[in-house]
Amino acid sequence: MSVEPDEAMVCTAMGDILNRIGDKWSVMVVGRLKGGTMRFSELRRAIDGVSQRMLTLTLRNLERDGLVTRTVYPEIPPRVEYALTELGQTLTGPIGALWDWAAEHQDAISQSRTSYDRAQMMAHEPIRRRA
Amino acid sequence: MSVEPDEAMVCTAMGDILNRIGDKWSVMVVGRLKGGTMRFSELRRAIDGVSQRMLTLTLRNLERDGLVTRTVYPEIPPRVEYALTELGQTLTGPIGALWDWAAEHQDAISQSRTSYDRAQMMAHEPIRRRA
DNA sequence: CAGGATCCAAATAGATACTG
DNA sequence: CAGTATCTATTTGGATCCTG
C-alpha cells in the first residue's frame, strides 16, 4: 500500500484532495454525519461558528466529491437531509486517526508554540536591563 | 481513545491544528522529511510547485509546532537542515493513512466531480435541440 | 427551512528584489 | 544558499438581503 507513482502528478492531485478533506469545516461535517443523517439547520447549530454560506459551500463540495448525499424533501417548509456515502464512511477512519492525534498532542503543540514565541521575543527585544 | 470532551473548545482548538496538519504544503513537507533530513533547497526542488516563501512559512510553522527541527550550519555558503522531531514522526502515521486514502480513492472522487459538474451543466443549460 | 446572490473585509499565495 | 521584505493578485470568509 505504498505510494510512489509519478511524483508531480500525485502531488498536485493529492494537494487538491487534501485541501478538501483537510479543510476545517469538511472535517467537522464528516465528523458530525458519522453519527447519521442530519438536516441543514441541525448541522449549522451543531458545528458552532460555521456561517450559512460556508456550510452550504462545504456541503456542496462534499457532495460533488461523492462523500455526502443530499436529499431534498419537497415539503413546505423544505427539508434537506445530508448523509455520508459509502465513500464518505471510509473517510471517517483516517479522519478519526488525525483527530485523535490532534487531541492527543494538542498540549505538546501549544507548549511548543508558546516557547517558540517566547524565544522569538527574546531575539527581537534583546537587551532590557532593569525597566 | 474516543474524543468527546466539551464540544466548542475542542472544535476551535482542533480546527486550528487541523488547519496546520491538513495544510497542503505541510503534508508535503512531512511526507518528504519522513525519509530523513533535508536541506532547504532539496525540499524546494522535491516539492514541485512550492514557492520559496511558502516553503519558508510552512517550515517555520512546523518548527513552531515542534514538528520539525531546524539546524543552521554556520558555513559559507550557509547550510540549513530540516528533520522531523519525535512528535513529527508520530504524525507520519495519520498523515500516511490520509495519503493512502486519497491515493486509493482519487479516481472515484474525480469521477464523482465530473458527473456532478455534468449534471450541473444540464440543469443550467437545459434545452438545446439540434444546434 | 434551506438556501442563492451580493458586497466587502481579511487572510493567503505568488512574484520580485534584496541580503548575510 | 537560505532566507527576508514588499507588493500585488487571488482566495476566502462573514454579513446581509432576498426567495421558493
Side-chain angles (χ1 to χ4, degrees):
Chain A
M1 201 68 69
S2 67
V3 183
E4 303 293 322
D6 174 28
E7 287 304 332
M9 201 233 93
V10 167
C11 283
T12 51
M14 209 59 94
D16 185 35
I17 293 181
L18 285 173
N19 270 344
R20 168 111 38 258
I21 63 184
D23 170 65
K24 182 177 162 184
W25 301 129
S26 296
V27 171
M28 303 290 188
V29 168
V30 170
R32 280 304 167 161
L33 290 181
K34 192 178 174 182
T37 296
M38 282 204 206
R39 304 181 52 165
F40 185 86
S41 52
E42 286 180 305
L43 282 168
R44 186 150 156 56
R45 274 189 300 274
I47 293 187
D48 183 79
V50 70
S51 68
Q52 180 199 52
R53 184 170 171 274
M54 281 305 101
L55 183 54
T56 301
L57 288 178
T58 301
L59 287 167
R60 284 295 176 284
N61 281 326
L62 290 174
E63 188 194 0
R64 186 169 104 101
D65 287 356
L67 298 174
V68 312
T69 58
R70 177 173 179 270
T71 313
V72 183
Y73 297 88
E75 310 169 351
I76 292 182
R79 186 162 54 98
V80 180
E81 293 192 338
Y82 294 91
L84 291 180
T85 61
E86 282 196 29
L87 186 57
Q89 300 280 357
T90 68
L91 225 195
T92 62
I95 292 253
L98 212 62
W99 188 275
D100 288 345
W101 185 92
E104 189 172 351
H105 298 290
Q106 63 178 325
D107 287 350
I109 289 177
S110 75
Q111 279 180 34
S112 179
R113 285 179 185 178
T114 302
S115 73
Y116 182 92
D117 292 346
R118 209 166 42 72
Q120 287 307 93
M121 293 286 288
M122 301 287 283
H124 286 291
E125 258 174 80
I127 314 123
R128 167 101 60 182
R129 57 183 80 174
R130 276 181 295 156
Chain B
M1 200 70 71
S2 66
V3 183
E4 301 294 319
D6 174 28
E7 286 303 330
M9 199 233 93
V10 166
C11 284
T12 51
M14 209 60 93
D16 184 35
I17 293 180
L18 285 173
N19 270 343
R20 167 89 7 91
I21 63 185
D23 171 65
K24 182 178 161 185
W25 300 130
S26 296
V27 171
M28 302 292 187
V29 169
V30 171
R32 280 303 167 163
L33 290 181
K34 192 178 174 183
T37 297
M38 281 204 207
R39 305 181 51 162
F40 185 86
S41 51
E42 286 181 305
L43 283 168
R44 186 150 156 57
R45 274 189 300 274
I47 294 188
D48 185 77
V50 71
S51 67
Q52 183 196 49
R53 183 172 171 273
M54 282 304 101
L55 183 55
T56 301
L57 288 178
T58 301
L59 287 168
R60 285 294 176 285
N61 281 326
L62 290 174
E63 188 194 0
R64 187 169 102 102
D65 287 356
L67 299 174
V68 312
T69 58
R70 176 172 179 271
T71 312
V72 182
Y73 296 89
E75 312 168 351
I76 292 184
R79 188 167 104 244
V80 180
E81 293 192 337
Y82 294 92
L84 291 180
T85 62
E86 281 196 31
L87 186 57
Q89 299 280 357
T90 69
L91 225 196
T92 62
I95 292 254
L98 212 61
W99 189 274
D100 288 345
W101 185 93
E104 189 172 351
H105 299 289
Q106 64 178 325
D107 286 350
I109 289 178
S110 74
Q111 278 179 36
S112 178
R113 286 180 184 177
T114 303
S115 72
Y116 182 92
D117 292 346
R118 209 165 42 72
Q120 287 307 93
M121 294 286 288
M122 301 287 283
H124 286 290
E125 260 173 77
I127 315 125
R128 166 100 61 181
R129 59 183 79 174
R130 275 182 293 159

